[in-house]
C-alpha cells in the first residue's frame, strides 16, 4: 500500500484516481531507503554530457560566435549537437554575405520535436525576431520546460525564452553581464565571446561561465525540482 510508504503521497494519488482517501498508514514507515528506485541513483560520479543529444534552434541571423562555440564545446564533451532550423536549406549567420555557405540544419522544426533531445540551446542574434513569431519554436521551448529538460539561451534569445515561460513567475533570467541558472534554465544576456569557450569545461553546480552551468544542468538529466515545485504544469504545451 502506498500509505505504508508515504501517507501524503497516498492521499494525493487517491484524489487523482478517485479512490477513498486514506487517513492513516497501515503500519509505521521504518525510514529505510532502497537504492535503484530513482533515476537520480544512476547519475555518474563525475557529471558528464557524453552521448546526450542537444538541439540548437536557429534561423537566418543567428549569432555565429555562440553557435560555433557551443557546437564545438558539445562535441568536445562527447555529446551530439543537432541543428534545428526554420528551413532545410543553408541558414546564414548574422552579418553573412548573401552567397555565404551557411549552416544546413539536420532537421526542420516541423520534422522534429523536443522530445527527441535531452536539452535545447538558442543563440542570440537577429533571427530571434523570426523565431519568436514561430509557434513551433515557442511550443518547443514550452514542451522542453514541461519535460524538465535543460534550456540554454544567450543574447536576444533570453527574451524569447522569458516570453514563452512568462507564466512561471518563479524563474529568474540573466540581467546585464551575469550568467543565471534558474530551475535548469541557463541564460546569459550578453552574447558569448570566443574566449567564453575553453578546451576544459568544469561541470559543477558552482560554475560561473555559461557553458559550465548549462552542461552541468544537462548532466543532471532532468530538473526534477520543476516538477516538485509545481512549475512543470504552469506552461501549456
Amino acid at each position: 500500500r502506498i500509505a505504508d510508504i508515504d501517507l501524503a503521497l497516498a492521499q494525493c494519488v487517491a484524489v487523482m484516481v478517485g479512490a477513498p482517501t486514506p487517513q492513516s498508514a497501515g503500519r509505521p514507515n521504518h525510514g529505510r531507503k532502497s537504492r535503484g528506485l530513482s533515476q537520480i541513483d544512476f547519475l555518474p560520479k563525475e557529471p558528464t554530457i557524453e552521448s546526450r543529444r542537444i538541439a540548437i534552434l536557429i534561423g537566418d541571423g543567428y549569432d555565429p560566435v555562440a553557435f560555433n562555440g557551443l557546437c564545438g564545446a558539445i562535441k568536445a564533451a562527447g555529446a551530439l549537437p543537432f541543428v534545428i532550423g526554420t528551413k532545410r536549406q543553408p541558414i546564414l549567420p548574422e552579418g553573412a554575405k548573401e552567397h555565404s555557405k551557411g549552416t544546413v540544419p539536420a532537421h526542420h522544426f516541423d520534422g522534429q520535436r523536443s522530445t527527441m533531445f535531452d536539452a535545447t540551446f538558442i543563440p542570440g542574434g537577429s533571427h530571434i525576431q523570426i523565431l519568436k513569431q514561430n509557434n513551433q519554436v515557442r511550443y518547443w521551448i514550452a514542451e522542453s520546460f514541461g519535460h524538465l529538460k535543460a534550456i540554454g539561451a544567450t543574447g536576444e534569445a533570453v527574451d524569447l525564452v522569458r516570453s514563452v515561460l512568462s507564466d512561471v513567475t518563479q524563474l529568474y533570467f540573466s540581467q546585464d553581464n551575469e550568467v543565471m541558472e534558474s530551475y535548469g534554465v541557463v541564460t546569459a544576456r550578453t552574447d558569448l565571446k570566443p574566449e567564453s569557450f575553453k578546451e576544459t569545461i568544469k561541470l559543477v553546480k558552482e560554475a560561473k561561465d555559461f557553458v559550465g552551468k548549462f552542461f552541468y544542468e544537462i548532466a543532471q538529466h532532468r530538473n526534477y525540482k520543476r516538477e516538485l515545485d509545481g512549475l512543470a504544469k504552469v506552461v501549456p504545451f
Side-chain angles (χ1 to χ4, degrees):
R1 292 177 53 191
I2 299 179
D4 293 339
I5 301 171
D6 189 307
L7 179 58
L9 174 62
Q11 291 171 336
C12 290
V13 171
V15 171
M16 293 300 177
V17 303
T21 302
Q23 300 303 316
S24 61
R27 57 184 176 180
N29 188 320
H30 51 61
R32 296 192 299 271
K33 296 182 178 181
S34 297
R35 283 191 55 80
L37 300 179
S38 169
Q39 293 186 58
I40 297 177
D41 293 336
F42 297 96
L43 292 176
K45 292 182 179 179
E46 293 295 328
T48 178
I49 66 169
E50 286 186 4
S51 79
R52 299 296 170 85
R53 294 163 55 91
I54 302 170
I56 303 177
L57 313 187
I58 64 170
D60 285 320
Y62 64 88
D63 171 20
V65 174
F67 174 82
N68 293 324
L70 201 75
C71 277
I74 290 170
K75 293 175 182 178
L80 306 169
F82 290 85
V83 179
I84 315 297
T86 52
K87 57 186 177 182
R88 287 300 304 277
Q89 291 183 347
I91 295 179
L92 301 181
E94 188 104 74
K97 296 181 180 179
E98 184 178 351
H99 299 292
S100 299
K101 186 176 181 180
T103 298
V104 179
H107 302 283
H108 183 276
F109 286 112
D110 288 330
Q112 273 294 343
R113 283 186 62 184
S114 72
T115 50
M116 301 300 294
F117 303 92
D118 297 296
T120 292
F121 170 67
I122 312 170
S126 61
H127 73 140
I128 296 303
Q129 297 301 317
I130 300 171
L131 297 190
K132 72 179 183 181
Q133 298 177 31
N134 187 319
N135 280 332
Q136 291 281 46
V137 175
R138 301 180 71 86
Y139 184 87
W140 186 295
I141 297 170
E143 186 177 56
S144 295
F145 186 84
H147 288 168
L148 316 182
K149 299 179 181 181
I151 299 172
T154 59
E156 295 86 347
V158 175
D159 289 329
L160 169 60
V161 175
R162 183 202 292 269
S163 68
V164 174
L165 305 179
S166 60
D167 289 337
V168 188
T169 57
Q170 297 91 331
L171 283 178
Y172 293 94
F173 295 88
S174 171
Q175 302 291 333
D176 300 322
N177 296 324
E178 66 180 343
V179 176
M180 176 66 69
E181 182 279 317
S182 181
Y183 286 96
V185 178
V186 183
T187 53
R189 176 69 58 180
T190 303
D191 283 329
L192 303 184
K193 307 299 181 184
E195 55 269 23
S196 301
F197 303 96
K198 307 171 184 177
E199 292 184 5
T200 302
I201 300 171
K202 293 184 178 180
L203 276 65
V204 294
K205 189 174 181 62
E206 299 78 17
K208 301 298 183 183
D209 62 300
F210 175 84
V211 179
K213 280 185 178 292
F214 185 43
F215 282 12
Y216 178 81
E217 292 304 316
I218 298 172
Q220 301 310 297
H221 184 54
R222 295 288 187 273
N223 187 281
Y224 297 106
K225 187 169 174 56
R226 266 183 224 163
E227 190 166 60
L228 293 173
D229 289 357
L231 307 191
K233 297 185 293 185
V234 175
V235 180
F237 64 90

